[in-house]
């Protein structure tokens, strides 16, 4: 372990890999289609040659990005995503090459909501979105039942008002 | 005593009319003076439009005044506004982060003042603003705000927050003199003179006269010196006056719960913040201030502040450093500022130098493709990046104490940021592949402020990163546990 601290324990759903694969395929597909149309136009209407060159470069880059984000990234993301929600904190960890640990105190949570897109609906998954006064965090791909439970739990725990804690500080 | 719904003081309309006049004077001059003899159609139409616009605005001002009402109800303030679209807004006193008053010359003349209550939201209507208020009305609102207790409001003759208030600092003439030199305001004469010169040159034949005068002066060089000294003296005088108007009568005081900052001669402004709502403290030292051993201490608050007001939220910006630190210690003992801080281990420098030079590479490739003969620019960029990284290493330091974290950044102007663990909204620790090879990590923590304040530290040793993470966790944990015991 590189950093000595309690790592969060909960994993996200296995189907997250499929969800990300499908959505990334669609996204890259659309991008490639648009570029393809532009390429056709540039040939058909004799646009400047540098436009064509940059289009080819872009298509190459998007192709590479597609390989990475369809075949490689989802697996790593799913494997490395960990979270833990207890009475006091929401702790999140993700990333492999760039590992990131985040700790949000429960009293700083301002809102919590779940979200679901069409692909996620197919797999019965939800994103859990937690907002504080300064930022917003998304814990992806949580099974429907669990997501709802977590939402209620956070909403209850976050009710602890910070002004109640302010007394009797400093020791 | 029940609170009746109140309107602004009628003088508000006058203020608005003055503002309107100020804004439309240029158009007026253009349409009615410069184009006085013009009979072209658009000018005539423009005149009618202008008059209609003015009339409309005047009516709107009147209606706005009629329809804008406010009321202090219990622990909140209720506002009703809008001519066509009615809007009701209720702002709870709990949400108010700080408040400011500003009294301009015009206000003072009429025995009035203005008041802004800042809430913490980042939305548009973050503040409750009273542009014109009678002084006793301001006292009434503030006493309600500060006591939060409707019963005590009968004793209206108690001046707000006067009980137990201690004055810690009052600026004197020497301070103003120092301030005027530090802020370099005496140099203001040069732009001033040049503006006057060019304005005159538009109307008169100054050029020739000036040339003649200049020749004359070259012959009599001693006159040149006298003139120069005279100009300097005048400009120092002006600078002193300017700083006195701005920073004169500076007064910092506090009581148990709040800090009060007051400043200004003639047009005065004041800033009040609850100690509990101070999110962080920033000590800033510019080059000149460092040479003179001065520092400016700022209190970071959640409420949105325009630059002008931000200046007010700082303790006297030209205070001797040690004095400022001492003052901070009496005002906010929970933020102990340490002068001595630790730099990062030397391996961090090597890491910083090794991080890929993306910007340099991209420019180099771009130049290679499009402008090969300019490729040397990439070299310059590389050198600049290198120097920045080295300086960045030497100017960044970090210190974690019992309840606070303190970081310092910046070369020419350095900035020390101190915050309490309770004011940290979230912490993150990140480490990349390269950082792991060096045994270091990046630290991020966020503070509520407007705009949001994110502190980034790249190159904390991995041990310290873990310790920081756990420190925050433990501190917060105990906070919650104690609360449970109480309730």
């Amino acid at each position: 372990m590189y950093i000595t601290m309690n790592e969060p324990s909960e994993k996200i759903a296995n189907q997250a890999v499929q969800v990300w694969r499908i959505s990334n395929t669609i996204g890259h597909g659309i991008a490639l289609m648009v570029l393809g149309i532009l390429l056709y136009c540039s040939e058909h209407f004799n646009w400047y040659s540098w436009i064509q060159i940059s289009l080819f470069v872009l298509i190459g880059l998007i192709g590479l990005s597609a390989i990475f984000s369809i075949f490689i990234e989802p697996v790593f993301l799913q494997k490395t995503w960990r979270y833990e929600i207890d009475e006091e904190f929401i702790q999140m960890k993700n990333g492999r090459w760039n590992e990131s640990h985040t700790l949000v105190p429960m009293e700083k949570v301002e809102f919590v909501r779940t979200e679901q897109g069409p692909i996620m609906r197919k797999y019965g998954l939800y994103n859990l979105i937690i907002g504080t006064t300064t930022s917003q965090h998304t814990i992806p791909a949580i099974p429907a039942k669990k997501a709802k439970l977590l939402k209620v739990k956070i909403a209850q725990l976050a009710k602890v008002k910070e002004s109640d804690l302010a007394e009797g500080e400093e020791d | 005593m029940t609170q009746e719904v109140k309107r602004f003081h009628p003088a508000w309309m006058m203020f608005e009319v003055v503002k309107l006049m100020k804004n439309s004077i240029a158009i007026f001059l253009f349409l009615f003076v410069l184009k006085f003899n013009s009979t072209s159609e658009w000018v005539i139409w423009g005149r009618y439009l202008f008059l209609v616009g003015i009339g409309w605005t005047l009516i709107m001002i009147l209606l706005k005044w009629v329809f804008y009402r406010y009321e202090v109800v219990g622990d909140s303030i209720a506002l009703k506004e809008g001519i066509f679209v009615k809007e009701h807004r209720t702002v709870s006193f709990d949400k108010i982060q700080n408040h400011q008053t500003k009294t301009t010359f015009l206000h003072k003349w009429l025995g009035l003042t203005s008041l802004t209550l800042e809430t913490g939201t980042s939305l548009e209507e973050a503040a409750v603003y009273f542009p014109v208020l009678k002084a006793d009305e301001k006292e009434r609102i503030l006493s309600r705000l500060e006591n939060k207790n409707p019963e005590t409001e009968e004793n209206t003759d108690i001046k707000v927050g006067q009980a137990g208030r201690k004055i810690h600092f009052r600026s004197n003439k020497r301070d103003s003199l120092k301030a005027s030199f530090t802020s370099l305001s005496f140099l203001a004469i040069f732009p001033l003179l040049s503006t006057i010169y060019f304005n005159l040159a538009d109307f008169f034949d100054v050029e020739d006269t000036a040339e003649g005068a200049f020749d004359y002066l070259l012959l009599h060089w001693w006159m040149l010196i006298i003139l120069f000294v005279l100009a300097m003296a005048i400009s120092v005088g002006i600078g002193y006056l300017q700083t006195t108007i701005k920073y004169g009568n500076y007064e910092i005081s506090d009581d148990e719960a709040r800090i009060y900052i007051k400043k200004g001669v003639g047009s005065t402004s004041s800033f009040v913040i609850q100690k509990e709502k101070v999110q962080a403290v920033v000590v800033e030292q510019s080059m000149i201030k460092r040479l003179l051993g001065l520092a400016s201490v700022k209190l970071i608050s959640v409420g949105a502040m325009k630059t002008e007001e931000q200046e007010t939220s700082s303790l006297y910006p030209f205070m001797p450093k040690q004095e400022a630190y001492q003052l901070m210690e009496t005002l906010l003992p929970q933020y102990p500022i340490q002068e001595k801080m630790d730099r990062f281990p030397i391996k961090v420098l090597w890491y910083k130098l090794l991080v890929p030079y993306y910007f340099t590479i991209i420019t180099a490739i771009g130049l290679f493709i499009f402008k090969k003969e300019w490729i040397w620019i990439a070299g310059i960029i590389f050198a600049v990046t290198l120097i920045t990284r080295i300086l960045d290493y030497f100017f960044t330091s970090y210190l974690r104490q019992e309840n606070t974290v303190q970081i310092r950044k910046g070369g020419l102007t350095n900035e020390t940021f101190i915050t309490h663990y309770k004011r940290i909204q979230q912490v993150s620790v990140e480490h990349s592949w390269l950082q792991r090879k060096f045994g270091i990590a990046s630290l991020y923590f966020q503070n509520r402020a407007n705009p949001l304040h994110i502190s980034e530290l790249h190159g904390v040793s991995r041990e310290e990163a873990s310790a920081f993470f756990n420190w925050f966790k433990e501190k917060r944990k105990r906070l919650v546990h104690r609360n449970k015991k109480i309730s």
Side-chain angles (χ1 to χ4, degrees):
Chain A
M1 198 165 28
Y2 182 72
I3 297 277
T4 38
M5 56 173 106
N6 287 337
E7 296 218 348
S9 54
E10 302 267 340
K11 286 184 191 173
I12 59 171
N14 286 330
Q15 294 100 312
V17 181
Q18 270 90 41
V19 173
W20 281 323
R21 275 194 178 147
I22 295 171
S23 67
N24 285 345
T25 312
I26 295 172
H28 281 88
I30 291 172
L32 280 177
M33 228 156 69
V34 170
L35 286 176
I37 293 168
L38 284 176
L39 197 65
Y40 172 78
C41 289
S42 74
E43 231 159 279
H44 200 259
F45 299 111
N46 279 325
W47 288 352
Y48 295 108
S49 64
W50 62 265
I51 293 183
Q52 240 180 54
I53 295 171
S54 15
L55 280 175
F56 274 119
V57 172
L58 270 178
I59 287 173
L61 285 177
I62 286 186
L64 285 178
S65 145
I67 293 171
F68 176 73
S69 58
I70 293 170
F71 297 103
I72 304 167
E73 198 192 12
V75 181
F76 277 125
L77 259 180
Q78 196 275 331
K79 260 194 188 157
T80 55
W81 242 107
R82 294 276 187 290
Y83 67 93
E84 194 169 316
I85 292 163
D86 57 25
E87 285 186 353
E88 288 136 1
F89 299 103
I90 294 165
Q91 193 176 347
M92 287 161 284
K93 180 211 144 188
N94 61 355
R96 167 130 192 174
W97 291 286
N98 285 323
E99 201 176 296
S100 137
H101 296 257
T102 301
L103 192 63
V104 183
M106 197 52 95
E107 307 85 63
K108 307 281 186 193
V109 174
E110 294 271 296
F111 68 84
V112 55
R113 67 163 192 264
T114 49
E115 246 180 36
Q116 187 182 47
I119 306 163
M120 297 185 84
R121 189 168 307 148
K122 195 173 151 239
Y123 289 93
L125 298 177
Y126 280 95
N127 283 340
L128 189 67
I129 294 159
I130 297 154
T132 69
T133 46
T134 52
S135 60
Q136 189 169 316
H137 304 277
T138 307
I139 303 176
I142 303 176
K145 221 173 168 188
K146 196 167 183 192
K148 274 174 195 153
L149 272 176
L150 280 177
K151 186 170 75 174
V152 174
K153 186 178 167 189
I154 293 173
Q156 273 173 357
L157 289 172
K159 252 192 213 155
V160 188
K161 255 207 192 153
E162 184 145 39
S163 53
D164 302 339
L165 310 174
E167 319 306 332
E169 45 170 302
E170 257 63 63
D171 59 310
Chain B
M1 187 174 95
T2 42
Q3 293 292 322
E4 72 272 45
V5 182
K6 291 220 174 185
R7 290 203 179 98
F8 283 151
H9 191 276
W12 179 78
M13 289 185 281
M14 200 188 88
F15 275 71
E16 288 296 301
V17 171
V18 170
K19 216 197 287 172
L20 174 69
M21 269 155 58
K22 238 193 322 196
N23 288 339
S24 52
I25 189 98
I27 306 172
F28 176 80
L29 282 178
F30 178 77
L31 286 175
F32 293 89
V33 180
L34 272 176
K35 295 268 174 196
F36 181 69
N37 287 323
S38 164
T39 46
S40 64
E41 215 162 288
W42 67 271
V43 173
I44 291 175
W45 272 106
R47 282 179 195 163
Y48 284 126
L49 264 177
F50 178 78
L51 289 179
V52 169
I54 294 281
W56 174 252
T57 321
L58 285 176
I59 293 169
M60 287 306 271
I61 289 173
L62 181 69
L63 286 177
K64 249 190 214 161
W65 179 75
V66 171
F67 285 110
Y68 191 101
R69 290 150 196 227
Y70 65 92
E71 186 181 8
V72 186
V73 196
D75 273 355
S76 58
I77 192 158
L79 307 160
K80 292 175 191 168
E81 57 192 304
I83 299 164
F84 303 115
V85 179
K86 304 279 180 198
E87 196 183 309
H88 288 221
R89 188 149 66 107
T90 308
V91 179
S92 156
F93 285 160
D94 283 341
K95 298 284 173 211
I96 289 166
Q97 301 289 327
N98 60 55
H99 57 84
Q100 298 143 6
T101 65
K102 203 172 172 202
T103 317
T104 60
F105 286 110
L106 195 53
H107 278 118
K108 196 168 252 185
W109 187 47
L110 296 165
L112 300 166
T113 183
S114 73
L115 173 69
T116 313
L117 308 173
E118 294 279 5
T119 67
T121 43
S122 48
L123 300 173
E124 206 156 282
E125 293 189 318
V128 182
Y129 179 48
F130 300 101
V132 179
L133 270 184
K134 266 199 189 139
D136 54 342
E137 177 66 5
K138 180 197 83 183
E139 299 287 324
R140 189 179 70 89
I141 294 174
L142 288 185
S143 73
R144 290 293 293 270
L145 171 68
E146 296 186 355
N147 298 322
K148 282 189 193 163
N149 199 347
E151 269 84 59
T152 54
E153 74 179 289
E154 293 295 341
N155 326 320
T156 35
D157 45 320
I158 293 181
K159 272 276 239 170
V160 180
Q162 283 301 324
R165 202 157 138 185
K166 252 198 294 192
I167 292 167
H168 294 285
F169 175 80
R170 229 185 217 139
S171 68
N172 52 28
K173 284 213 172 83
R174 239 187 83 236
D175 288 315
S176 295
L177 207 64
K178 237 188 207 170
S180 73
F181 273 100
T182 320
S183 61
L184 293 179
S185 61
F186 56 87
L187 293 177
I189 187 123
F190 295 110
L192 209 75
L193 278 180
S194 65
T195 325
I196 292 173
Y197 177 81
F198 285 115
N199 274 325
L200 285 179
D202 283 346
F203 294 102
F204 306 104
D205 210 8
V206 194
E207 204 94 352
D208 295 336
T209 333
E211 224 166 83
F214 195 66
D215 285 340
Y216 178 79
L217 283 176
L218 273 183
L219 287 173
H220 305 77
W221 55 270
W222 50 272
M223 260 181 101
L224 203 67
I225 291 176
I226 289 175
L227 267 181
F228 182 75
V229 169
L230 211 69
M232 271 325 265
I234 292 171
S235 87
V236 167
I238 291 173
Y240 177 72
L241 217 68
Q242 259 182 346
T243 356
T244 314
I245 288 172
K246 211 166 163 194
Y247 298 110
N249 285 347
Y250 220 96
E251 187 186 289
I252 300 167
S253 56
D254 80 329
D255 59 24
E256 204 115 297
R258 282 170 277 266
I259 296 173
Y260 307 80
I261 303 168
K262 230 165 67 182
K263 68 165 187 181
V265 176
S267 127
T268 54
S269 58
S270 74
F271 175 86
V272 182
I273 187 168
Q274 280 183 50
K275 286 182 178 177
E276 200 185 282
K277 291 199 164 145
V278 174
Q279 298 292 321
V281 175
V282 174
V283 183
E284 268 178 354
Q285 280 194 293
S286 65
M287 197 64 184
I288 300 171
K289 279 186 190 168
R290 214 161 352 147
L291 285 173
L292 293 173
L294 302 178
S296 94
V297 182
K298 249 189 223 162
L299 309 174
I300 304 286
S301 147
V302 173
M305 284 185 279
K306 291 165 227 137
T307 27
E308 190 189 338
E309 285 146 6
Q310 240 165 11
E311 240 165 48
T312 326
S313 79
S314 68
L315 306 183
Y316 194 61
F318 309 100
M319 215 186 278
K321 195 160 83 175
Q322 289 314 318
E323 209 176 298
Y325 283 5
Q326 255 165 29
L327 182 63
M328 276 316 299
E329 228 176 286
T330 41
L331 290 179
L332 293 164
Q334 59 266 53
Y335 292 95
I337 309 172
Q338 285 298 323
E339 191 41 36
K340 249 189 103 47
M341 297 178 66
D342 305 325
R343 218 180 279 147
F344 293 138
I346 194 78
K347 63 184 176 186
V348 174
L349 178 60
W350 301 128
Y351 159 73
K352 282 198 168 162
L353 293 177
L354 263 176
V355 171
Y357 294 81
Y358 294 114
F359 188 63
T360 313
I361 292 167
I362 289 169
T363 23
I365 291 173
L367 287 170
F368 184 79
I369 295 172
F370 295 106
K371 270 250 182 281
K372 232 181 200 164
E373 62 274 21
W374 284 9
I375 197 102
W376 49 269
I377 290 177
I380 293 176
I381 289 174
F382 178 70
V384 170
T385 323
L386 211 63
I387 293 167
T388 328
R389 286 179 185 198
I390 294 170
L391 290 180
D392 186 47
Y393 168 75
F394 280 105
F395 288 129
T396 306
S397 46
Y398 164 87
L399 185 72
R400 181 164 56 79
Q401 286 172 293
E402 212 166 308
N403 288 322
T404 57
V405 202
Q406 177 175 339
I407 57 176
R408 176 174 295 163
K409 279 181 172 180
L412 295 180
T413 301
N414 84 16
E415 194 188 281
T416 313
F417 181 89
I418 308 111
T419 191
H420 196 278
Y421 73 88
K422 272 196 302 173
R423 300 285 164 250
I424 296 177
Q425 297 288 311
Q426 74 172 60
V427 303
S428 296
V429 172
E430 270 182 43
H431 38 90
S432 63
W433 177 84
L434 189 62
Q435 280 178 324
R436 281 198 287 278
K437 296 285 159 236
F438 278 89
I440 57 178
S442 292
L443 214 69
Y444 302 86
F445 55 92
Q446 299 188 350
N447 277 86
R448 268 185 89 185
N450 214 328
L452 158 73
H453 193 283
I454 302 177
S455 311
E456 288 181 35
L457 273 180
H458 304 284
V460 181
S461 72
R462 58 185 267 207
E463 292 78 20
E464 175 52 31
S466 317
F468 175 81
F469 200 88
N470 292 326
W471 165 79
F472 182 68
K473 203 166 176 177
E474 284 308 309
K475 285 280 182 190
R476 295 281 334 180
K477 217 183 237 169
R478 275 200 296 164
L479 208 62
V480 180
H481 277 307
R482 190 171 326 104
N483 176 60
K484 266 190 209 133
K485 253 179 256 158
I486 292 165
S487 56

